[in-house]
Amino acid sequence: MRLSADDGQLRALVGRTRVFLLDLDGTVYIGDEPIGPMARTLAAVRSSGRKLVFCTNNSSKSAQAYARKLKKLGLFGREDEVYTSGIAAAEYLRANFAGKRVFLVGTAALRREFSARGIALDDADPDVCVLAYDTALTFRKLALFNRFLAEGKPYIATHADAVCPAKGVYPPDVGSFIELLRCSSGRVPDVVCGKPGPVMGGLLASRLGVAANEVAMVGDRPYTDIRFGNNNGFGTVLVLSGETDAAAAEKLPPSDRPQAILNSFNDIEKYL
């Protein structure tokens, strides 16, 4: 059942969309299970001539790792892309801090992605500090990062989610690290690259060569996915297959209000 937007509005949104940005967990799969007939739905989107970009704030894994998981689930097509907040941070650095040395608090996978994009990593005397979702975080890394912040180095975060979705108790994500460093250094990030801010949106639109109104963001988190779409002038579709239920969707503030609400992305097929 569709919960918002009449057929005409939804058909108009889908009609002008050339690229669907899809959140991952809660939108196309939950854990290791596709949501309903998702493989068929994504195939139908591709057949309609539209592009799919899987768009996630999780900067602990590489785009290749996400692609492997999606392929294993039968959800990844040859022309599909994966775009993470880590990639957005790397591209932002190349555009705004070209040639600068970077101290990265992040996983080995993200370090490899930065290096592959020509970003020089330096743990001793960096020009810029980047905070990502580091599942191998140590006190030494935090202490060094804190010192560099106290010295006034530019401070970039990949994203600001407080917790990471998981079964059971949600573990702390970059937003929690940001609060820790705010207490110790008095600093907050100068720039946050991931959803819901404008950096990732601008980079994606430029990369894909499309106008903002030809992009639709689909996700289950209003305060990241939908706010991201609204902040960047994209179409926005909230799905109720993950974090948000129908009752919560009815109470959203204007910044997080989508143009359409669907039970799952599978419902989009009839509007293609």
Side-chain angles (χ1 to χ4, degrees), residues 111-252:
R111 292 179 72 87
R112 288 192 294 270
E113 288 212 318
F114 271 44
S115 295
R117 287 169 170 76
I119 295 169
L121 301 178
D122 189 333
D123 295 349
D125 186 26
D127 301 303
V128 186
C129 295
V130 177
L131 180 64
Y133 186 34
D134 190 352
T135 54
L137 186 64
T138 65
F139 181 78
R140 179 181 176 276
K141 290 182 188 178
L142 279 173
L144 274 174
F145 203 92
N146 187 72
R147 190 188 96 200
F148 295 141
L149 294 188
E151 292 172 355
K153 310 282 187 185
Y155 175 15
I156 296 165
T158 56
H159 61 293
D161 294 13
V163 295
C164 185
K167 290 183 178 179
V169 178
Y170 284 8
D173 203 334
V174 175
S176 297
F177 304 165
I178 288 170
E179 286 303 302
L180 184 156
L181 289 160
R182 180 184 63 80
C183 289
S184 60
S185 72
R187 297 275 306 276
V188 294
D190 304 315
V191 176
V192 176
C193 292
K195 299 179 285 188
V199 171
M200 189 186 233
L203 289 167
L204 272 167
S206 175
R207 178 190 185 102
L208 296 166
V210 294
N213 67 355
E214 295 175 316
V215 178
M217 180 69 219
V218 183
D220 66 308
R221 278 184 166 185
Y223 54 92
T224 54
D225 301 320
I226 304 308
R227 191 181 302 177
F228 172 67
N230 290 339
N231 284 343
N232 286 282
F234 301 157
T236 50
V237 180
L238 177 68
V239 292
L240 305 182
S241 50
E243 183 174 306
T244 306
D245 61 20
E250 294 298 328
K251 302 173 184 176
L252 294 173

Side-chain angles (χ1 to χ4, degrees), residues 5-6 15 20-21 35 42 45 53 64 87 97 107 117 126 173 178-180 209 216 234 239 259 268:
D6 60 32
F20 279 106
L21 304 179
I35 295 169
L42 299 183
V45 174
V53 178
Q64 292 81 4
I87 295 173
F97 294 92
T107 60
R117 287 169 170 76
D173 203 334
I178 288 170
E179 286 303 302
L180 184 156
F234 301 157
V239 292
Q259 293 172 13
I268 207 77

Side-chain angles (χ1 to χ4, degrees), residues 249-270:
E250 294 298 328
K251 302 173 184 176
L252 294 173
S255 61
D256 301 348
R257 200 168 294 152
Q259 293 172 13
I261 303 175
L262 302 174
N263 279 334
S264 81
F265 188 58
N266 296 307
D267 294 341
I268 207 77
E269 192 172 351
K270 65 177 73 76

